[in-house]
Amino acid sequence: MYDIIVIGAGTAGMTAAIYARRADKSVLILESGAYGGQIINTPDIANYPVEAHISGFDFATKLYEQTVALGAEFAFERAERIEISGNIKTVITADNAYEAKAVIIATGSSNRKLGLGNEEKLVGRGVSYCATCDGMFFKGKTVAVAGGGNTAVEDALYLSNLAEKVYLIHRREGFRADKSTLDRLRKRKNVEFMLNRNVTKLIADKKLTAIEVTDRDGAVTTLDVDGLFVAVGRIPENESFASLLDLDQSGYAISDETCKTKTPGVFVAGDNRQKELRQLVTAASDGAIAASEAVKYLNTL
Ligand code: NAP
């Protein structure tokens, strides 16, 4: 039996583990993929205190090493559900059942899809959700980016250094992205903004060859592209634990500043929690708070 199981080895989860270990609690972190979470694909982090510039991979690796050095255990397994019996929480994976007195759900979020018929079939054949992972395959080619948030604008900026031509397709006029990044993108000569339009069709033989975009009046334009980078936001990963949480309309876990949930001894931290600002620094902050609250909870048992 562990004192605390943390589900998710992103910034929130690993920070929670650091705080829990420093309070001398036994900690298991369950992670279904690689450690690091969403930040691992970011080429340059320039808004985290102390480090003026650091790659997402280096950030995640340093955090992982710190967490391991403090004695947190890792198991690279997907947590499928949590069963509660009195004060004991059992986290079930495909092969194991792990018991703990408290659980911190720091599962983050996954890529939102456009929802087009052949979208999933074309992943790796022209459709991508990660510009920094796949951008190099499109050197000298024509690509489109869909979305109007920071990810889309940063992706378009990144791709404009590699591709010959970049279309940025956004469904309305206004952007969620930071003005400074948007201003930098507007200066790129090989970037064309296509606003008030949605990507409505993916045209492919074996690979993506073109996309159709449709404006608000229903007029369709076909763009010949080698790649489409989908950056239309993220979906919180709370579904497997929904019965233990209160979720808002978008599926984010509702909690107050203590990261508590409606289930005693179950906490949420990071991007899967309802909050105003989803950034590295707020993920780390959630991790610290959730762990401190979990430690307080353990002291009541
Ligand atoms: P986001 O801010 O939620 O933006 C998603 C974008 O996709 C929005 O422009 C949205 O349009 C559009 N969209 C959503 N569903 C769509 C659909 N079905 N079809 C077409 N367009 C659709 O997501 P994000 O860019 O991934 O960013 C997530 C969070 O991480 C944000 O808080 C962001 O600030 C943060 N982030 C920060 C940095 C940084 O600070 N360097 C970098 C990346 C991300 P509408 O605007 O019309 O809703």
Side-chain angles (χ1 to χ4, degrees):
M1 160 106 60
Y2 291 90
D3 290 322
I4 300 174
I5 290 178
V6 178
I7 305 176
T11 299
M14 289 198 280
T15 305
I18 288 171
Y19 273 74
R21 282 301 301 139
R22 285 177 54 79
D24 209 23
K25 301 300 175 194
S26 60
V27 179
L28 173 70
I29 305 187
L30 291 171
E31 167 57 54
S32 59
Y35 67 76
Q38 197 187 335
I39 200 61
I40 205 132
N41 296 318
T42 297
D44 180 33
I45 300 163
N47 57 6
Y48 196 82
V50 176
E51 289 273 9
H53 292 279
I54 184 168
S55 73
F57 181 80
D58 287 347
F59 180 93
T61 302
K62 280 187 170 184
L63 184 53
Y64 174 72
E65 287 169 355
Q66 186 180 1
T67 310
V68 170
L70 281 166
E73 290 177 36
F74 279 77
F76 289 92
E77 298 171 48
R78 172 176 288 278
E80 291 178 350
R81 62 182 195 281
I82 302 170
E83 285 174 4
I84 311 255
S85 172
N87 290 326
I88 299 173
K89 287 95 191 160
T90 306
V91 184
I92 316 281
T93 69
D95 298 320
N96 289 300
Y98 298 101
E99 286 184 347
K101 296 172 198 158
V103 174
I104 298 171
I105 302 172
T107 39
S109 56
S110 59
N111 296 313
R112 178 179 287 122
K113 313 276 188 294
L114 287 172
L116 299 172
N118 50 355
E119 185 175 349
E120 240 157 86
K121 221 175 84 188
L122 290 172
V123 173
R125 296 176 188 176
V127 172
S128 171
Y129 299 87
C130 177
T132 47
C133 315
D134 300 329
M136 270 308 280
F137 298 123
F138 299 91
K139 203 167 177 197
K141 299 194 170 173
T142 299
V143 297
V145 176
N150 273 317
T151 304
V153 172
E154 286 184 7
D155 283 0
L157 203 51
Y158 179 78
L159 291 164
S160 70
N161 292 322
L162 296 167
E164 189 184 317
K165 166 101 188 174
V166 179
Y167 294 102
L168 179 63
I169 300 155
H170 178 34
R171 66 182 176 186
R172 62 189 175 94
E173 198 83 32
F175 281 84
R176 289 176 196 266
D178 296 345
K179 189 179 173 299
S180 59
T181 321
L182 199 54
D183 287 346
R184 281 170 64 208
L185 188 67
R186 288 192 201 282
K187 290 189 185 127
R188 297 290 165 106
K189 292 203 164 50
N190 62 340
V191 177
E192 185 174 338
F193 284 65
M194 302 200 75
L195 303 182
N196 300 310
R197 288 176 172 89
N198 276 302
V199 179
T200 44
K201 193 172 177 184
L202 308 177
I203 300 165
D205 38 50
K206 281 183 186 150
K207 283 182 171 178
L208 185 76
T209 56
I211 55 175
E212 280 184 8
V213 294
T214 304
D215 75 10
R216 290 190 169 176
D217 301 323
V220 176
T221 311
T222 303
L223 303 173
D224 292 334
V225 297
D226 303 291
L228 171 66
F229 288 85
V230 179
V232 295
R234 304 190 58 89
I235 298 174
E237 292 274 8
N238 287 323
E239 221 176 282
S240 307
F241 318 110
S243 62
L244 306 175
L245 310 171
D246 283 322
L247 302 181
D248 71 10
Q249 271 186 336
S250 306
Y252 290 99
I254 299 169
S255 72
D256 61 14
E257 284 305 302
T258 62
C259 294
K260 285 178 186 164
T261 69
K262 70 175 180 186
T263 308
V266 175
F267 303 83
V268 282
D271 278 9
N272 54 319
R273 186 169 88 81
Q274 186 190 59
K275 54 158 104 176
E276 286 298 317
L277 184 64
R278 293 194 175 82
Q279 293 281 295
L280 265 193
V281 73
T282 62
S285 165
D286 274 12
I289 293 167
S292 306
E293 292 296 328
V295 170
K296 277 190 216 164
Y297 169 80
L298 295 177
N299 289 337
T300 68
L301 298 180

